[in-house]
Amino acid sequence: MRKTLSILALAVIGYYLIVTMSAIPFGQDRMNPDVAKVYLTEGVPKTGSVNIVTAIVVNFRGFDTLGEVTVLFLAATGLGAMLYDKRGKRRPRTEASPVVRVGARILFPLIVLLGAYVFVHGHLTPGGGFPGGVIIATGFLLMYMAYRSYDVSHWGLSITESLAGMIFVSIGLLGLIYGQSFLYNFLPPGVPNTIFSAGVIPLIYIAIGLKVGSELTGVIDNMMETIR
């Protein structure tokens, strides 16, 4: 009986899969050429961001970006939960050489500064919140690898991550109040190619950078807990 039901279920799934796939026009260009033209011609005047990719990611499809940040938060939380039970099986960490320790101490502030630069200038140059946050997390990873006793406050990471997420959502709600929709760019676009421009886009990227950096650093800290 179970085999029969399984075969019937697979047959139904296979039927709808074939119907769905046959309806997709593979190999045909369905992109409306006017879409790209609108973004390229109206992106800078509307948002003030000379980085059109940033304008699309943070402004035109900002709600989708909020969903991506939420997915990352859930993934980091899930990984932390899985590693928590393994903390009793700790292994000794290998001591890094003096060259690595001194080099890490010198490079750490520069890496954090580079990460901050990447997400602060995300509306002017390639980059943004996600890569900037990842760069900052790599700085903390370097310190974990160089120093056996290095540790980051979980409380501090949680506060940073929570505040960054609240700022992101609050900007979205302010757009709903003072604009036309959630995450609406309600601030003046300013003068393009200047640091204080693009309305709320730099603020959102700063929030994303801090949120991604703290989340990934928390993941690294949980993983390092298993080998201390």
Side-chain angles (χ1 to χ4, degrees):
M1 186 63 182
R2 292 179 60 182
K3 289 185 178 179
T4 303
L5 292 176
S6 299
I7 293 173
L8 288 175
L10 289 174
V12 171
I13 293 173
Y15 170 77
Y16 282 105
L17 182 62
I18 293 173
V19 171
T20 302
M21 298 297 286
S22 62
I24 299 176
F26 290 107
Q28 298 181 18
D29 186 8
R30 302 184 62 194
M31 180 63 70
N32 187 342
D34 294 335
V35 174
K37 185 178 180 181
V38 169
Y39 284 128
L40 292 175
T41 56
E42 300 183 10
V44 175
K46 282 188 174 180
T47 66
S49 173
V50 294
N51 187 344
I52 298 301
V53 175
T54 291
I56 295 173
V57 171
V58 180
N59 198 193
F60 293 116
R61 43 145 282 187
F63 194 68
D64 186 59
T65 302
L66 177 60
E68 293 173 353
V69 174
T70 304
V71 169
L72 178 61
F73 168 73
L74 294 175
T77 304
L79 181 61
M82 287 190 296
L83 293 175
Y84 181 80
D85 291 335
K86 297 181 180 179
R87 289 181 178 177
K89 303 175 182 177
R90 295 177 177 175
R91 295 172 293 170
R93 291 175 58 181
T94 303
E95 187 72 41
S97 69
V99 175
V100 174
R101 293 200 299 271
V102 173
R105 185 68 70 179
I106 296 173
L107 289 175
F108 176 69
L110 299 177
I111 294 173
V112 173
L113 182 62
L114 174 62
Y117 174 87
V118 168
F119 63 67
V120 168
H121 291 77
H123 60 299
L124 302 174
T125 56
F130 281 97
V134 172
I135 291 173
I136 290 176
T138 58
F140 284 98
L141 174 61
L142 179 62
M143 293 298 290
Y144 275 114
M145 295 173 64
Y147 294 92
R148 293 183 58 178
S149 59
Y150 187 77
D151 196 11
V152 178
S153 169
H154 281 278
W155 182 84
L157 291 175
S158 299
I159 292 295
T160 303
E161 190 275 332
S162 300
L163 286 177
M166 291 172 61
I167 290 172
F168 194 163
V169 176
S170 298
I171 293 174
L173 293 175
L174 288 175
L176 193 62
I177 295 172
Y178 297 106
Q180 302 171 354
S181 61
F182 185 75
L183 283 173
Y184 180 78
N185 195 350
F186 59 92
L187 293 179
V191 180
N193 282 312
T194 59
I195 187 69
F196 296 105
S197 62
V200 301
I201 292 177
L203 302 178
I204 293 176
Y205 255 173
I206 291 173
I208 293 175
L210 295 175
K211 186 173 178 59
V212 171
S214 57
E215 286 175 350
L216 293 183
T217 302
V219 170
I220 294 170
D221 185 71
N222 283 324
M223 296 178 70
M224 289 299 178
E225 286 284 343
T226 64
I227 58 175
R228 282 176 182 166

